[in-house]
Amino acid sequence: MADGTTQRVLRLLTLLQQRRTWTGTELAGELGVTDRCVRRDVGRLRDLGYPVHASQGVGGGYQLGAGKALPPLLLDDDEAIAIAVSLRLAAGGTVAGTGEAALRTLAKLDQVMPPRLRSEVRTLHGATETLPGGVAQADGEVLTTLARACRDAVRVRFGYTSRGGGRQERTVEPVRMVATGRRWYLMAFDVDRDDWRTFRLDRMADVVATTWRVPPREHPDPAAFVQRAVTAAPYRHVVRARVSATAAQVRELLPPQVGAVEPDGDAAVLTAGGDQLDWLAVHLALLPWPVEVLEPDALRDVAAELGRRLARMAR
């Protein structure tokens, strides 16, 4: 196909991916061609393996369907970056059973991706760590902006909505993003509070990377810092308990945002936070393994009272 025809066919494919059904007249108007030219371009797409269906009558038109084999995909920049990042996370083991297939797919995508996009993906991957478990969605533009800021060591400004619903303007020096099973977090040095903080990406708005370069700082381990922040720091009570199971078994049952799990010989030590000790006692009691309370002592009293209440209910 000539260059002009190729560009028009790619534009036609983009239109078919954007909406469920198009009439021939609508497509001709978008492309600036005749209905006959649209029919020829639809035939070219079919020759390339794209299942374009055509129907007559009221409500009819052209529709891109699912085929027996996967044809080449047409992706814009944001879509290509999002897919590549997801594949890198999956290849790293954050999605069970997908590592090998993700690596194969990532290799194919990396081979055809333009150098500028390949650089963006590697920047984002280098600025991200993951805790075990699935990874939640995040705004691609925010991820890319923060990844560049981590790479370039520049300050970032954004509006941030607190747990109480209030909004504040924050200025930080970002270090690393951490993906948990539910959310994405940024670990950064908060300039106004003169301390390390974590920020949920879904609570950020109007994220802007400045040109203010910052010198390197000694910083905590990002993954450990974020895990402590989401499992213990926000809560009134923090409990530690020894569970008669391996750390791997406990982690399989409890996502990282619920509690931190460390191996302790043949057992595991679970650290978790909560605002009510009785609810913490209930959740520990529901674990399918024996549990020994390490701290606080008050949790033992709460567990004993819970046991008495359950015994009375069982009479």
Side-chain angles (χ1 to χ4, degrees):
M1 288 186 289
D3 289 344
T5 302
T6 300
Q7 292 178 3
R8 191 178 65 247
V9 171
L10 290 176
R11 172 62 177 157
L12 172 61
L13 178 57
T14 300
L15 292 171
L16 291 171
Q17 290 175 332
Q18 289 176 352
R19 211 168 81 187
R20 182 172 178 81
T21 303
W22 291 83
T23 66
T25 302
E26 289 173 332
L27 290 173
E30 290 285 339
L31 298 171
V33 297
T34 64
D35 288 357
R36 183 178 178 183
C37 185
V38 169
R39 289 193 295 272
R40 285 200 301 265
D41 288 346
V42 166
R44 293 185 175 104
L45 283 178
R46 288 169 176 163
D47 291 340
L48 292 172
Y50 291 95
V52 182
H53 305 308
S55 56
Q56 303 295 324
V58 179
Y62 293 101
Q63 180 180 0
L64 186 62
K68 295 180 180 179
L70 184 65
L73 296 175
L74 184 64
L75 304 173
D76 62 26
D77 288 3
D78 289 342
E79 291 169 340
I81 290 174
I83 290 175
V85 170
S86 298
L87 288 170
R88 284 187 180 272
L89 293 172
T94 61
V95 182
T98 61
E100 184 178 348
L103 282 173
R104 292 198 307 269
T105 308
L106 182 60
K108 294 177 182 178
L109 184 61
D110 194 67
Q111 183 177 3
V112 299
M113 187 176 287
R116 59 185 175 80
L117 292 186
R118 191 181 299 120
S119 175
E120 294 287 359
V121 170
R122 289 174 179 170
T123 295
L124 184 51
H125 182 63
T128 304
E129 295 190 21
T130 59
L131 295 176
V135 178
Q137 295 181 349
D139 184 273
E141 185 175 351
V142 173
L143 283 173
T144 304
T145 299
L146 293 176
R148 292 184 188 133
C150 290
R151 177 196 63 191
D152 299 337
V154 296
R155 286 184 176 178
V156 173
R157 292 196 304 266
F158 52 86
Y160 192 71
T161 302
S162 66
R163 294 179 67 190
R167 176 177 164 127
Q168 299 174 328
E169 296 300 317
R170 311 296 282 266
T171 301
V172 305
E173 299 172 2
V175 172
R176 196 67 54 85
M177 289 178 290
V178 177
T180 75
R182 294 173 59 192
R183 299 183 179 95
W184 285 76
Y185 293 85
L186 172 70
M187 192 193 89
F189 187 82
D190 192 315
V191 175
D192 296 324
R193 288 154 181 79
D194 195 31
D195 200 1
W196 295 102
R197 291 288 191 273
T198 60
F199 303 92
R200 278 173 44 177
L201 266 64
D202 61 318
R203 290 180 175 171
M204 293 182 180
D206 304 321
V207 181
V208 176
T210 72
T211 57
W212 184 298
R213 296 187 64 86
V214 296
R217 291 180 183 268
E218 290 291 331
H219 59 78
D221 176 77
F225 187 83
V226 168
Q227 183 161 42
R228 180 183 179 278
V230 301
T231 60
Y235 300 108
R236 181 180 175 188
H237 302 286
V238 177
V239 304
R240 294 179 67 249
R242 181 177 290 107
V243 183
S244 296
T246 66
Q249 288 174 313
V250 179
R251 289 190 185 116
E252 186 175 353
L253 185 63
L254 299 177
Q257 68 273 10
V258 171
V261 180
E262 299 296 334
D264 184 29
D266 294 333
V269 173
L270 170 65
T271 303
D275 293 326
Q276 295 178 305
L277 281 177
D278 52 355
W279 279 108
L280 288 168
V282 169
H283 287 296
L284 289 175
L286 289 174
L287 292 176
W289 310 285
V291 175
E292 175 192 357
V293 174
L294 300 177
E295 57 181 279
D297 292 338
L299 182 60
R300 298 188 183 92
D301 298 331
V302 171
E305 174 59 25
L306 176 63
R308 288 190 289 267
R309 291 171 59 186
L310 291 173
R312 289 194 295 269
M313 290 174 59
R315 291 175 184 169

